[in-house]
Amino acid sequence: MSERILRVNSEIQKAISYIIQNEIKNPKIRGLITVTKVDTTADLDQSKIYLSIFEEDTREEVFNQIKHSAGFIRRELAKAVDLRKVPFLT
């Protein structure tokens, strides 16, 4: 993996972590959520985001709410990270 992709992954990880913790106003997204890893393709077309959700009893619901908010997260990511092309998030 190139140095550029590693830097992009790091920036995306920091930005998405901030967005999930501070920008999403959905009350169903609660608890300790950590972005553990980001894998971005070389052409910056897609990023696979790996999450760790601490609360086991609401893990599935929180994960589904975050998946539902992927468009909002991508839009906020475009504002936070200086990239020509913002990857789709999965």
Side-chain angles (χ1 to χ4, degrees):
M1 195 175 299
S2 72
E3 183 69 30
R4 178 176 184 256
I5 295 298
L6 291 175
R7 285 190 316 236
V8 167
N9 286 342
S10 175
E11 288 299 315
I12 289 175
Q13 183 176 358
K14 285 188 253 182
I16 289 179
S17 180
Y18 178 81
I19 292 166
I20 289 174
Q21 295 299 324
N22 300 315
E23 299 294 325
I24 295 180
K25 303 296 184 212
N26 188 339
K28 293 181 181 178
I29 299 176
R30 62 188 180 281
L32 184 61
I33 302 168
T34 306
V35 179
T36 58
K37 183 179 174 183
V38 175
D39 283 335
T40 306
T41 58
D43 61 354
L44 298 178
D45 191 45
Q46 293 187 356
S47 284
K48 189 177 279 191
I49 313 300
Y50 296 90
L51 300 174
S52 172
I53 302 170
F54 184 68
E55 293 182 23
E56 191 171 328
D57 54 338
T58 61
R59 183 176 292 160
E60 219 31 64
E61 180 184 356
V62 170
F63 179 72
N64 288 332
Q65 291 297 318
I66 290 175
K67 270 179 46 175
H68 183 72
S69 301
F72 172 77
I73 295 171
R74 184 172 186 246
R75 200 168 42 250
E76 293 298 313
L77 180 65
K79 296 175 188 175
V81 179
D82 188 25
L83 291 173
R84 182 177 300 183
K85 182 178 181 182
V86 177
F88 290 100
L89 306 176
T90 54

